[in-house]
Amino acid sequence: MRRRFEPAGPLRGHVTPPPDKSISHRAALFAAMTDEPVRIENYLRADDTMSTLDAIRSLGAGVQEENGTVLVRGVGMRTAAPTTGGMLDVGNAGTLLRILPGWLAGQPGGLWRLDGDESIRRRPVDRIVEPLRLMGAELEARDGRLPPLVVKGAELTGIDYQLPVASAQVKSCLLLAGLLAEGHTAVTEPAQSRDHTERIICRARVPFEREGLRLLVYPVDELELDDVVVPGDPSSGSFLAAAACLVPGSRVCLDAVALNWTRTGFFRIAQRMGAVVVGELEERESASSTEEPAGELDIAQAPLEATTVGADEVPLAIDELPLVALLGCFAEGETVVSGAAELRLKESDRIAGVVDGLRALGADIDATDDGFAVRGGTGLEGGTLDARGDHRLAMLGAIAGLASRDGVEVEGMEAAAVSYPQFEEAVAGLTS
Ligand code: S3P
């Protein structure tokens, strides 16, 4: 589906971003592992998170949906086995593909095959296969590293594991497996990534320790999870915020958006570049936070200056780095992102997609092995951007169009439905 985004007048108004994708996935998975029913308010109705509801249904959970609320009747921690032999279709959802095996791996006697669309078949799973094997699980992947992924459940034993790359998905997978493993399981990240799993584990009244970047979990027989309220998705909101940073005269307020500091890195980067961003943007909350804070962020356009983003900041803005490139096109000086080789392994190779895509619109941008460098200040002319089946590239193209001189045609706009089905309506509401 092709869509054209013309240069826009000032964006103005309030918008509530769609429910958070990461928290929705986790709420559904944890609810499925709980014995008592769990109500999830404001669950994201988008392709990725619908795949998660389908998966937990296949694993025996009851799922009832009503006006944005999902009621899950879980099967308990250690009883996902009735669907042994089951095929689980994860669609385009990398988070589901990487987190769910942590639960399945600890179900002795169970056997599952996880597969998905064409893009999911290019997402590496060796990052979870290796540590889960060390814990005693049996897994098989195509060429040892790609889906389909076969998981055979086993009695697990805890490990002390150092993640080679900061990844919330891998961390979450191992923490889940740790809840089923004998002894304790320790997971250490090289840099802080989003911590929604840690927060939900604490809320599920499970013994859990954080010592800086080292996390420790212990085996449990059951979870006790109260109802979950999902806040707005800051990653989805960032696209609208970026438009507000770029189009002269804009002022946009994101309402009820998640303010967990491990997700708001993009807003701090935009602020550092000179955009006006007002709201609770702490560098760090107390290490014991278990709630998911939410609130308002007010964003207004201002002249931008280049910045550098390095490895420590990358996981805190991983899904928004394409927008840092876009802001870089309009900022004085050279904006450089490094330590972000992970971007090559997302729904598409996002370094190639961003660099080729923005260059075709007139940007002076180069790819590096682990990021990109943009020389900005001249803005963008416009043209055509291919989304490559990647929701974040589709929305990047749209926002680039609003800020460009001639407009942008996005090839493959339908991909936005993976995380933000109402994206085009939200843009129209702010530009009309
Ligand atoms: C996610 C973690 C990140 C992120 C993805 C969602 C999550 O991936 O890019 O969109 O919900 O845990 P990695 O864990 O691979 O960095």
Side-chain angles (χ1 to χ4, degrees):
M1 177 171 94
R2 272 180 166 251
R3 278 276 196 276
R4 195 171 167 78
F5 293 85
E6 299 292 351
L11 284 85
R12 297 217 153 238
H14 284 253
V15 63
T16 303
D20 189 76
K21 184 154 84 69
S22 290
I23 299 176
S24 294
H25 280 305
R26 286 158 173 81
L29 291 172
F30 274 83
M33 296 189 298
T34 303
D35 295 286
E36 297 295 319
V38 177
R39 190 174 298 279
I40 309 172
E41 266 178 52
N42 200 34
Y43 188 84
L44 174 64
R45 297 187 58 86
D47 294 352
D48 259 22
T49 43
M50 288 298 144
S51 296
T52 297
L53 293 187
D54 290 342
I56 63 169
R57 269 193 198 104
S58 310
L59 292 167
V63 177
Q64 247 173 290
E65 293 177 69
E66 221 172 78
N67 304 327
T69 296
V70 172
L71 180 70
V72 178
R73 291 177 203 281
V75 292
M77 287 288 291
R78 295 170 189 268
T79 42
T83 58
T84 284
M87 289 278 300
L88 295 170
D89 181 1
V90 304
N92 188 250
T95 302
L96 179 60
L97 171 72
R98 267 77 166 263
I99 298 185
L100 178 58
W103 183 27
L104 303 180
Q107 310 292 323
L111 181 70
W112 295 271
R113 188 169 188 270
L114 284 79
D115 202 359
D117 67 10
E118 201 194 312
S119 138
I120 214 80
R121 285 192 161 207
R122 294 193 299 266
R123 312 284 305 269
V125 287
D126 44 346
R127 49 188 58 202
I128 58 165
V129 167
E130 281 165 24
L132 287 175
R133 275 192 189 142
L134 293 174
M135 295 179 83
E138 288 178 43
L139 300 102
E140 268 169 51
R142 185 167 50 95
D143 298 331
R145 55 183 291 271
L146 297 168
L149 173 67
V150 175
V151 184
K152 198 169 167 205
E155 302 283 355
L156 303 180
T157 310
I159 52 170
D160 198 326
Y161 192 72
Q162 170 81 46
L163 261 63
V165 179
S167 162
Q169 294 173 354
V170 181
K171 169 175 71 174
S172 303
C173 171
L174 300 182
L175 292 175
L176 271 194
L179 295 177
L180 296 158
E182 201 186 308
H184 72 264
T185 298
V187 183
T188 310
E189 289 194 280
Q192 178 73 54
S193 66
R194 65 191 67 190
D195 67 355
H196 306 302
T197 302
E198 294 89 304
R199 292 182 195 225
I200 204 164
I201 282 182
C202 291
R203 290 207 305 281
R205 303 183 189 91
V206 166
F208 174 74
E209 291 163 36
R210 308 187 204 212
E211 296 159 1
L213 294 173
R214 186 162 192 265
L215 309 169
L216 273 167
V217 282
Y218 301 86
V220 288
D221 287 324
E222 55 180 36
L223 304 176
E224 285 176 56
L225 192 60
D226 297 333
D227 294 349
V228 179
V229 182
V230 181
D233 195 318
S235 301
S236 302
S238 292
F239 288 88
L240 306 171
C245 291
L246 295 174
V247 177
S250 295
R251 180 167 174 192
V252 167
C253 185
L254 300 179
D255 291 330
V257 65
L259 294 175
N260 175 328
W261 74 277
T262 65
R263 293 292 300 286
T264 49
F266 169 72
F267 297 96
R268 290 189 289 273
I269 295 168
Q271 203 174 46
R272 191 162 81 221
M273 294 177 85
V276 180
V277 185
V278 181
E280 306 275 324
L281 286 178
E282 280 80 19
E283 289 286 338
R284 194 167 281 276
E285 298 154 48
S286 104
S288 58
S289 331
T290 60
E291 295 309 316
E292 291 289 356
E296 230 178 68
L297 286 176
D298 212 337
I299 300 105
Q301 189 266 338
L304 300 179
E305 276 178 28
T307 191
T308 54
V309 175
D312 273 355
E313 205 172 16
V314 160
L316 307 176
I318 183 77
D319 294 333
E320 296 76 59
L321 293 175
L323 292 171
V324 174
L326 178 62
L327 261 50
C329 297
F330 292 78
E332 278 309 321
E334 189 179 38
T335 294
V336 179
V337 172
S338 61
E342 277 295 292
L343 285 181
R344 295 205 181 271
L345 305 172
K346 294 293 173 190
E347 285 82 332
S348 68
D349 174 345
R350 278 196 191 143
I351 294 182
V354 165
V355 169
D356 297 348
L358 292 179
R359 195 183 278 153
L361 307 181
D364 180 4
I365 180 167
D366 289 313
T368 59
D369 287 347
D370 65 349
F372 45 78
V374 202
R375 286 149 302 273
T378 50
L380 291 174
E381 271 154 46
T384 300
L385 185 142
D386 181 358
R388 304 180 179 202
D390 183 332
H391 54 135
R392 305 219 193 263
L393 291 186
M395 294 188 281
L396 173 74
I399 301 302
L402 304 183
S404 68
R405 289 188 283 279
D406 300 336
V408 170
E409 188 130 316
V410 179
E411 179 62 70
M413 196 60 217
E414 68 281 358
V418 157
S419 59
Y420 200 163
Q422 292 82 28
F423 172 74
E424 288 182 67
E425 279 117 286
V427 169
L430 292 172
T431 48
S432 57

